[in-house]
Amino acid sequence: MAADVPTAQARLLVDSQCELAEGILWCDRRNALYWTDILAGRLWHHDLANGRSRSWQLHEPLGCVALASDGRLLLGLANGLYVADPETQLQDSELHLQLLALVEADNPATRINDGRADRHGNFVFGTKSDHPEGRRGGSFYQWSAHNGLRRLPLPQAHIPNAICFSPKGERIYFCDSPQAKLITGRYDPHGAHVDALQVFASVTEPGIEPDGAVVDTQGRLWNAHWGAGRVSCYTADGRIEREIHIPAQYASCCVIAAGRLYISSARIGLDADALATQPGAGGIFVWEHPQLKASVDRVELP
């Protein structure tokens, strides 16, 4: 925890009790939240107008979600990118999927993890390494309608996370969570190139790791701190400006939606005693601030 910074408490919005809720995003067209329960292979939807939630079963782990320009969703399943239209399948228990690209499908030791649309209609994501010896076997990619799948020239990672972009899209932020450092670099969306890497911020508390992140219109980076039950807000020069706490140990990702910060969480690894003290773990939390805004980015589809 940073010293002498303002703190606030988020409240539970959706008691979804996910094992590993991640990848939360806001759809402004439908005023709805989407997120994943990764290992359960479920896509969740919450209508902010009527407060109703539902989920769909998928055939493999679902690492991340992005809005598509035509109203559909791009889904990063374990070994491929797919497109689905959940709004036309509200009565279905499973989603019909259209394959866009296979990703490391011949490698059983990796799966897609964190990902976000950039400011230019592309999708940037990373693959997580499940090698038993814990080596960094994951990579970072960009997918675009014009160029397909291209590997980004970034170091291999164990658990890629915190992928997000500066307001104009000329900088990328990301991390390898176990390294406990947020990294930034210059980002060329057209050439799928990243260079001039540098440490943006470090998480120095033992057992705490950076997880999902989002950048607001003022250039501040909001990062979920896994193991600390909080989202930390970093200024553009890497200083912690504010912390938003949730009553759950594992804050996993966050998204900004017109004056609100939504935070996903997990209950994976928590025993009965821990769950008794944090019953909302695995749910979605919300903190309100009227001046908080972020752009809504979408992936251009063919």
Side-chain angles (χ1 to χ4, degrees):
M1 179 183 296
D4 301 322
V5 300
T7 63
Q9 190 79 15
R11 62 178 174 85
L12 182 64
L13 177 71
V14 184
D15 188 15
S16 53
Q17 300 188 15
C18 295
E19 284 297 301
L20 184 53
E22 274 278 12
I24 188 165
L25 60 86
W26 175 58
C27 177
D28 56 335
R29 293 175 181 174
R30 300 186 175 100
N31 193 28
L33 298 172
Y34 291 97
W35 68 93
T36 81
D37 189 352
I38 292 183
L39 300 180
R42 299 195 75 88
L43 171 69
W44 279 81
H45 169 277
H46 178 76
D47 189 315
L48 290 165
N50 61 31
R52 295 174 183 169
S53 302
R54 65 147 301 156
S55 65
W56 294 267
Q57 186 65 54
L58 297 160
H59 62 273
E60 57 188 51
L62 173 62
C64 49
V65 188
L67 302 174
S69 56
D70 63 359
R72 293 181 292 169
L73 297 181
L74 184 152
L75 306 179
L77 274 71
N79 296 119
L81 300 179
Y82 295 81
V83 177
D85 189 354
E87 294 301 318
T88 64
Q89 302 177 61
L90 293 175
Q91 306 306 316
D92 300 335
S93 59
E94 298 186 15
L95 282 181
H96 174 72
L97 303 175
Q98 174 189 342
L99 177 66
L100 285 177
L102 292 173
V103 180
E104 300 181 6
D106 58 347
N107 187 347
T110 62
R111 66 164 176 80
I112 292 175
N113 197 53
D114 187 54
R116 279 197 186 273
D118 68 13
R119 312 294 191 196
H120 305 273
N122 312 303
F123 185 62
V124 176
F125 65 97
T127 55
K128 176 183 180 294
S129 174
D130 286 329
H131 289 281
E133 65 273 22
R135 68 181 176 88
R136 301 180 203 173
S139 300
F140 292 86
Y141 294 89
Q142 181 207 75
W143 181 89
S144 71
H146 297 294
N147 297 295
L149 191 65
R150 296 186 288 183
R151 189 189 298 265
L152 294 174
L154 294 173
Q156 286 199 300
H158 184 195
I159 308 177
N161 265 315
I163 297 169
C164 54
F165 301 88
S166 58
K168 294 183 179 180
E170 80 283 4
R171 299 200 67 81
I172 187 173
Y173 299 89
F174 65 94
C175 75
D176 182 2
S177 288
Q179 302 303 306
K181 296 181 187 297
L182 292 163
I183 309 298
T184 186
R186 291 185 303 206
Y187 174 61
D188 173 9
H190 308 294
H193 186 72
V194 181
D195 63 10
L197 297 181
Q198 63 187 69
V199 175
F200 172 72
S202 297
V203 180
T204 58
E205 298 162 76
I208 310 304
E209 297 180 355
D211 205 323
V214 65
V215 173
D216 66 21
T217 53
Q218 297 183 44
R220 298 174 300 187
L221 185 147
W222 300 74
N223 179 231
H225 283 183
W226 178 268
R230 68 171 181 250
V231 169
S232 291
C233 173
Y234 293 88
T235 60
D237 60 0
R239 294 178 294 107
I240 294 181
E241 177 183 278
R242 182 188 297 270
E243 292 176 345
I244 310 302
H245 294 258
I246 64 172
Q249 182 177 352
Y250 296 124
S252 57
C253 193
C254 54
V255 70
I256 292 168
R260 293 178 175 87
L261 177 73
Y262 295 100
I263 305 166
S264 60
S265 66
R267 55 175 46 205
I268 188 170
L270 297 178
D271 60 21
D273 290 340
L275 287 172
T277 63
Q278 43 186 307
I284 305 300
F285 297 83
V286 60
W287 173 70
E288 298 184 16
H289 191 290
Q291 297 177 345
L292 192 57
K293 297 179 181 179
S295 64
V296 179
D297 301 303
R298 291 179 167 82
V299 180
E300 295 291 337
L301 295 178

